Coordinates of all heavy atoms in Angstrom, one line a residue:
M217 N 62.8 102.1 125.4 CA 61.6 101.3 125.2 C 61.9 99.9 124.7 O 61.3 99.0 125.2 CB 60.8 102.0 124.1 CG 59.5 102.6 124.6 SD 58.7 103.4 123.2 CE 57.0 103.1 123.7
C218 N 62.8 99.8 123.8 CA 63.1 98.5 123.2 C 63.9 97.6 124.1 O 64.9 98.0 124.8 CB 63.9 98.7 121.9 SG 64.4 97.2 121.1
Q219 N 63.4 96.4 124.2 CA 64.1 95.4 125.1 C 64.8 94.3 124.2 O 65.3 93.3 124.8 CB 63.0 94.7 126.0 CG 62.3 95.7 126.9 CD 63.2 96.3 127.9 OE1 64.1 95.6 128.5 NE2 63.0 97.6 128.2
H220 N 64.8 94.4 122.9 CA 65.3 93.4 122.0 C 66.9 93.5 122.0 O 67.4 94.5 122.3 CB 64.8 93.6 120.6 CG 63.3 93.6 120.5 ND1 62.6 94.6 120.2 CD2 62.5 92.5 120.7 CE1 61.3 94.3 120.2 NE2 61.2 93.0 120.5
Q221 N 67.5 92.4 121.7 CA 68.9 92.3 121.6 C 69.2 91.8 120.2 O 68.8 90.7 119.9 CB 69.5 91.4 122.7 CG 69.5 92.0 124.0 CD 70.2 93.3 124.1 OE1 71.3 93.5 123.6 NE2 69.6 94.2 124.9
P222 N 69.9 92.5 119.4 CA 70.4 93.8 119.5 C 69.2 94.8 119.5 O 68.2 94.5 119.0 CB 71.3 94.1 118.3 CG 70.8 93.2 117.3 CD 70.3 91.9 118.0
L223 N 69.5 96.0 120.1 CA 68.4 97.0 120.2 C 68.0 97.4 118.8 O 68.7 97.5 117.9 CB 68.9 98.2 121.0 CG 69.3 98.0 122.4 CD1 69.8 99.3 123.0 CD2 68.0 97.6 123.2
C224 N 66.7 97.7 118.7 CA 66.1 98.2 117.5 C 66.5 99.7 117.3 O 66.9 100.3 118.3 CB 64.6 98.1 117.5 SG 64.0 96.4 117.5
P225 N 66.4 100.2 116.1 CA 66.7 101.6 115.8 C 65.8 102.5 116.6 O 64.6 102.2 116.8 CB 66.5 101.7 114.3 CG 66.4 100.4 113.8 CD 66.0 99.4 114.9
T226 N 66.3 103.6 117.0 CA 65.5 104.6 117.7 C 64.6 105.3 116.8 O 64.7 105.2 115.5 CB 66.4 105.6 118.4 OG1 67.0 106.4 117.4 CG2 67.4 105.0 119.3
A227 N 63.6 106.0 117.3 CA 62.7 106.8 116.5 C 63.3 107.9 115.7 O 62.8 108.4 114.7 CB 61.6 107.3 117.4
Q228 N 64.5 108.3 116.2 CA 65.2 109.4 115.5 C 66.2 108.8 114.4 O 66.7 109.6 113.6 CB 66.1 110.2 116.5 CG 65.2 111.0 117.5 CD 64.6 110.2 118.5 OE1 65.1 109.2 119.0 NE2 63.4 110.6 118.9
S229 N 66.4 107.6 114.3 CA 67.2 106.9 113.3 C 66.6 107.0 112.0 O 65.3 106.9 111.8 CB 67.5 105.5 113.7 OG 68.2 105.4 114.9
T230 N 67.4 107.0 110.9 CA 66.8 107.0 109.6 C 66.2 105.6 109.2 O 65.4 105.5 108.4 CB 67.9 107.3 108.5 OG1 69.0 106.4 108.7 CG2 68.4 108.8 108.7
D231 N 66.7 104.6 109.9 CA 66.2 103.2 109.7 C 65.1 102.8 110.7 O 64.9 101.6 111.0 CB 67.3 102.2 109.6 CG 68.1 102.1 110.9 OD1 68.0 103.0 111.7 OD2 68.9 101.1 111.0
R232 N 64.4 103.8 111.3 CA 63.4 103.6 112.4 C 62.4 102.5 112.0 O 61.8 101.9 112.9 CB 62.8 104.9 112.8 CG 62.0 105.5 111.8 CD 61.4 106.9 112.3 NE 61.3 107.8 111.1 CZ 62.1 108.7 110.8 NH1 63.2 109.0 111.6 NH2 61.9 109.5 109.8
E233 N 62.0 102.4 110.8 CA 61.0 101.4 110.3 C 61.4 100.0 110.5 O 60.6 99.1 110.4 CB 60.6 101.7 108.9 CG 60.0 103.0 108.6 CD 59.7 103.3 107.2 OE1 59.8 102.3 106.4 OE2 59.5 104.4 106.8
A234 N 62.7 99.7 110.8 CA 63.2 98.4 111.0 C 63.0 97.9 112.4 O 63.2 96.7 112.7 CB 64.7 98.3 110.7
A235 N 62.4 98.7 113.3 CA 62.1 98.3 114.6 C 61.0 97.2 114.6 O 60.2 97.2 113.7 CB 61.7 99.5 115.5
R236 N 60.9 96.4 115.6 CA 59.9 95.3 115.6 C 58.6 95.9 116.0 O 58.5 96.7 116.9 CB 60.3 94.3 116.6 CG 61.6 93.5 116.2 CD 61.8 92.4 117.2 NE 63.2 91.8 116.9 CZ 63.6 90.8 117.6 NH1 62.9 90.3 118.6 NH2 64.8 90.3 117.3
P237 N 57.5 95.4 115.4 CA 56.2 95.8 115.8 C 55.8 95.2 117.2 O 56.1 94.0 117.5 CB 55.3 95.2 114.7 CG 56.1 94.4 113.8 CD 57.5 94.5 114.2
V238 N 55.1 96.0 118.0 CA 54.6 95.5 119.3 C 53.1 95.4 119.2 O 52.5 94.7 120.1 CB 55.1 96.3 120.5 CG1 56.6 96.2 120.6 CG2 54.7 97.8 120.3
A239 N 52.5 96.1 118.3 CA 51.0 96.0 118.1 C 50.8 96.2 116.6 O 51.4 97.1 116.0 CB 50.3 97.1 118.8
N240 N 50.1 95.3 116.0 CA 49.8 95.3 114.6 C 48.3 95.3 114.3 O 47.6 94.4 114.8 CB 50.5 94.1 114.0 CG 50.6 94.1 112.5 OD1 50.3 95.2 111.9 ND2 50.8 93.0 111.8
H241 N 47.8 96.3 113.6 CA 46.4 96.3 113.3 C 46.2 96.6 111.8 O 45.9 97.7 111.4 CB 45.7 97.4 114.1 CG 45.7 97.1 115.6 ND1 44.7 96.3 116.1 CD2 46.5 97.4 116.6 CE1 44.9 96.1 117.4 NE2 46.0 96.8 117.7
P242 N 46.5 95.6 110.9 CA 46.3 95.8 109.5 C 44.9 96.2 109.1 O 44.7 96.9 108.1 CB 46.8 94.4 108.9 CG 46.6 93.5 110.0 CD 46.8 94.2 111.3
E243 N 43.9 95.7 109.8 CA 42.5 96.1 109.5 C 42.3 97.6 109.7 O 41.4 98.1 109.1 CB 41.5 95.3 110.3 CG 41.5 95.7 111.8 CD 42.6 95.2 112.7 OE1 43.5 94.5 112.2 OE2 42.5 95.5 113.9
Q244 N 43.1 98.2 110.5 CA 43.0 99.7 110.7 C 44.1 100.4 110.0 O 44.1 101.7 109.9 CB 43.1 100.0 112.2 CG 41.9 99.5 112.9 CD 42.0 99.7 114.4 OE1 43.0 100.3 114.9 NE2 41.0 99.3 115.1
G245 N 45.1 99.7 109.4 CA 46.2 100.3 108.6 C 47.3 100.9 109.4 O 48.0 101.8 108.9
W246 N 47.6 100.3 110.6 CA 48.8 100.9 111.3 C 49.4 99.8 112.2 O 48.8 98.8 112.5 CB 48.4 102.0 112.2 CG 47.3 101.7 113.3 CD1 46.0 101.8 113.1 CD2 47.6 101.3 114.6 NE1 45.4 101.4 114.3 CE2 46.3 101.1 115.2 CE3 48.7 101.0 115.3 CZ2 46.2 100.7 116.5 CZ3 48.6 100.6 116.7 CH2 47.3 100.5 117.2
S247 N 50.7 100.1 112.5 CA 51.4 99.2 113.5 C 52.2 100.1 114.4 O 52.7 101.2 114.0 CB 52.4 98.4 112.7 OG 51.8 97.5 111.9
L248 N 52.3 99.7 115.7 CA 53.1 100.4 116.7 C 54.5 99.7 116.8 O 54.5 98.4 117.0 CB 52.4 100.5 118.0 CG 53.3 101.1 119.2 CD1 53.6 102.5 118.9 CD2 52.5 100.9 120.5
L249 N 55.5 100.3 116.5 CA 56.9 99.7 116.6 C 57.4 99.9 118.0 O 57.0 100.8 118.8 CB 57.8 100.4 115.6 CG 57.3 100.3 114.2 CD1 58.3 101.0 113.2 CD2 57.0 98.9 113.7
C250 N 58.4 99.1 118.4 CA 58.9 99.1 119.8 C 59.7 100.4 120.1 O 59.9 100.7 121.3 CB 59.8 97.9 120.1 SG 61.3 97.9 119.2
N251 N 60.0 101.2 119.1 CA 60.7 102.5 119.3 C 59.6 103.6 119.5 O 60.0 104.8 119.6 CB 61.7 102.8 118.2 CG 61.1 102.8 116.8 OD1 59.9 102.7 116.7 ND2 61.9 102.9 115.8
G252 N 58.4 103.3 119.5 CA 57.3 104.3 119.7 C 56.8 104.9 118.5 O 55.9 105.7 118.5
V253 N 57.2 104.5 117.3 CA 56.8 105.0 116.0 C 55.5 104.3 115.6 O 55.4 103.1 115.7 CB 57.8 104.8 114.9 CG1 57.3 105.2 113.6 CG2 59.1 105.6 115.3
L254 N 54.5 105.1 115.2 CA 53.3 104.6 114.6 C 53.5 104.6 113.1 O 53.8 105.6 112.5 CB 52.1 105.5 114.9 CG 51.3 105.1 116.2 CD1 50.2 106.2 116.4 CD2 50.7 103.8 116.1
L255 N 53.5 103.4 112.5 CA 53.8 103.2 111.1 C 52.5 102.9 110.4 O 51.8 102.0 110.8 CB 54.8 102.1 110.9 CG 55.2 101.7 109.5 CD1 55.9 102.9 108.8 CD2 56.1 100.5 109.5
F256 N 52.1 103.7 109.4 CA 50.8 103.6 108.7 C 51.0 102.8 107.4 O 52.1 102.9 106.8 CB 50.2 105.0 108.5 CG 49.8 105.6 109.8 CD1 50.7 106.6 110.3 CD2 48.7 105.3 110.4 CE1 50.4 107.2 111.5 CE2 48.3 105.9 111.6 CZ 49.2 106.9 112.2
E257 N 50.0 102.2 107.0 CA 50.0 101.4 105.8 C 50.4 102.2 104.5 O 51.1 101.7 103.7 CB 48.6 100.9 105.5 CG 48.4 99.9 104.4 CD 47.0 99.4 104.3 OE1 46.2 100.1 103.7 OE2 46.7 98.4 104.9
D258 N 50.2 103.5 104.5 CA 50.6 104.3 103.4 C 52.0 104.8 103.4 O 52.4 105.6 102.7 CB 49.6 105.5 103.2 CG 49.8 106.5 104.3 OD1 50.5 106.3 105.3 OD2 49.1 107.6 104.2
T259 N 52.8 104.3 104.4 CA 54.2 104.5 104.7 C 54.4 105.9 105.4 O 55.5 106.3 105.7 CB 55.1 104.5 103.5 OG1 54.8 105.6 102.6 CG2 55.0 103.2 102.7
G260 N 53.3 106.5 105.9 CA 53.4 107.7 106.7 C 53.8 107.2 108.1 O 53.6 106.0 108.5
E261 N 54.3 108.1 108.9 CA 54.7 107.8 110.3 C 54.3 108.9 111.3 O 54.3 110.1 110.9 CB 56.2 107.6 110.4 CG 56.7 106.5 109.5 CD 58.2 106.5 109.3 OE1 58.9 107.0 110.2 OE2 58.7 105.9 108.4
L262 N 54.1 108.5 112.5 CA 53.9 109.5 113.6 C 54.9 109.1 114.6 O 54.9 108.0 115.1 CB 52.5 109.4 114.2 CG 52.2 110.3 115.3 CD1 52.3 111.8 114.9 CD2 50.8 110.1 115.9
L263 N 55.8 110.1 114.9 CA 56.9 109.8 115.8 C 56.5 110.1 117.2 O 55.5 110.8 117.5 CB 58.1 110.7 115.4 CG 58.7 110.5 114.0 CD1 59.9 111.4 113.8 CD2 59.0 109.1 113.7
P264 N 57.2 109.5 118.2 CA 56.8 109.7 119.6 C 56.7 111.2 120.1 O 55.9 111.5 121.0 CB 57.8 108.9 120.4 CG 58.4 108.0 119.5 CD 58.3 108.6 118.1
D265 N 57.5 112.0 119.5 CA 57.5 113.4 119.8 C 56.4 114.2 119.1 O 56.4 115.4 119.3 CB 58.9 114.1 119.6 CG 59.3 114.1 118.2 OD1 58.5 113.7 117.3 OD2 60.5 114.5 117.9
G266 N 55.6 113.6 118.3 CA 54.5 114.2 117.7 C 54.8 114.7 116.2 O 53.9 115.1 115.5
R267 N 56.0 114.5 115.8 CA 56.3 114.9 114.4 C 55.7 113.9 113.5 O 55.5 112.7 113.8 CB 57.8 114.9 114.2 CG 58.5 116.1 114.8 CD 60.0 116.1 114.4 NE 60.7 115.0 115.0 CZ 61.7 114.3 114.4 NH1 62.1 114.7 113.2 NH2 62.2 113.3 115.0
I268 N 55.3 114.4 112.3 CA 54.7 113.6 111.3 C 55.7 113.4 110.1 O 56.3 114.4 109.7 CB 53.4 114.3 110.7 CG1 52.4 114.4 111.9 CG2 52.9 113.6 109.5 CD1 51.2 115.3 111.5
I269 N 55.8 112.2 109.7 CA 56.6 111.9 108.5 C 55.6 111.6 107.4 O 54.8 110.6 107.5 CB 57.6 110.7 108.7 CG1 58.5 110.9 109.9 CG2 58.4 110.4 107.5 CD1 59.4 112.1 109.8
A270 N 55.6 112.3 106.3 CA 54.7 112.1 105.2 C 54.9 110.8 104.6 O 56.1 110.3 104.6 CB 54.8 113.3 104.2
P271 N 53.9 110.2 104.0 CA 54.1 109.0 103.2 C 55.2 109.1 102.2 O 55.4 110.2 101.6 CB 52.7 108.8 102.5 CG 51.8 109.5 103.4 CD 52.5 110.7 103.9
H272 N 56.0 108.1 102.1 CA 57.1 108.1 101.2 C 57.3 106.9 100.3 O 58.3 106.3 100.1 CB 58.4 108.3 102.0 CG 58.6 107.5 103.2 ND1 57.9 107.8 104.4 CD2 59.2 106.3 103.4 CE1 58.2 106.8 105.3 NE2 59.0 105.9 104.7
R273 N 56.1 106.5 99.8 CA 56.1 105.4 98.8 C 56.8 105.8 97.6 O 56.7 106.9 97.1 CB 54.7 105.1 98.5 CG 54.3 103.7 98.7 CD 52.9 103.4 98.3 NE 52.3 102.7 99.4 CZ 51.0 102.6 99.6 NH1 50.1 103.2 98.9 NH2 50.5 101.9 100.6
P274 N 57.6 104.9 97.0 CA 58.3 105.3 95.7 C 57.2 105.5 94.6 O 56.1 105.0 94.7 CB 59.1 104.1 95.4 CG 58.8 103.0 96.3 CD 57.9 103.6 97.4
P275 N 57.5 106.4 93.7 CA 56.6 106.6 92.6 C 56.2 105.3 91.9 O 57.1 104.4 91.7 CB 57.4 107.5 91.6 CG 58.5 108.1 92.4 CD 58.8 107.1 93.5
N276 N 55.0 105.2 91.5 CA 54.4 104.0 90.8 C 54.5 102.8 91.6 O 54.5 101.7 91.1 CB 55.1 103.8 89.5 CG 55.0 105.0 88.6 OD1 53.9 105.7 88.6 ND2 56.0 105.4 87.8
A277 N 54.5 102.8 92.9 CA 54.6 101.6 93.8 C 53.3 100.8 93.6 O 53.4 99.6 93.7 CB 54.8 102.0 95.2
D278 N 52.2 101.4 93.3 CA 51.0 100.7 93.2 C 50.7 100.3 91.7 O 49.8 99.6 91.4 CB 49.8 101.5 93.6 CG 49.8 101.7 95.1 OD1 50.3 100.8 95.8 OD2 49.4 102.8 95.6
D279 N 51.6 100.7 90.8 CA 51.4 100.4 89.4 C 51.9 99.0 89.1 O 53.1 98.8 89.1 CB 52.1 101.4 88.5 CG 51.8 101.2 87.1 OD1 51.0 100.4 86.7 OD2 52.5 101.9 86.2
V280 N 51.0 98.1 88.9 CA 51.4 96.7 88.7 C 51.4 96.3 87.2 O 51.6 95.2 86.9 CB 50.5 95.7 89.5 CG1 50.7 95.9 91.0 CG2 49.1 95.9 89.1
T281 N 51.1 97.3 86.4 CA 51.1 97.0 84.9 C 52.5 96.9 84.4 O 53.4 97.7 84.8 CB 50.3 98.0 84.1 OG1 50.9 99.3 84.3 CG2 48.9 98.1 84.6
A282 N 52.8 96.0 83.5 CA 54.1 95.8 82.9 C 54.2 96.6 81.7 O 53.3 96.8 80.9 CB 54.4 94.3 82.6
A283 N 55.4 97.2 81.4 CA 55.6 97.9 80.2 C 55.6 97.0 79.0 O 56.2 95.9 79.1 CB 56.9 98.7 80.3
A284 N 55.0 97.3 78.0 CA 54.9 96.4 76.8 C 56.0 96.7 75.8 O 56.7 97.7 75.8 CB 53.6 96.7 76.1

């Protein structure tokens, strides 16, 4: 699928999120990467073979309060 040089990571690679977006829809919360992965705003993924990768945001990623 990918035509970039160097090639982007495949959908089976652990670094698959590093592939370049070919369609970006932030208003809908998703992007399609050139390796066929649908990447969702919540960090979940839908792989081309139909497998689902659950969101994997680090704990407290939305916590913007500073410790006193």
Side-chain angles (χ1 to χ4, degrees):
M217 248 178 145
C218 179
Q219 302 293 322
H220 301 114
Q221 291 299 322
L223 293 176
C224 291
T226 67
Q228 292 74 32
S229 300
T230 55
D231 60 345
R232 64 182 150 259
E233 294 175 16
R236 294 185 190 182
V238 293
N240 190 17
H241 292 277
E243 72 282 359
Q244 296 177 357
W246 62 271
S247 297
L248 175 64
L249 305 180
C250 69
N251 57 7
V253 173
L254 272 174
L255 180 63
F256 295 97
E257 184 177 86
D258 68 355
T259 69
E261 301 170 21
L262 179 61
L263 303 184
D265 63 5
R267 287 186 295 144
I268 297 169
I269 306 296
H272 47 278
R273 236 182 227 161
N276 300 324
D278 292 326
D279 187 7
V280 293
T281 59

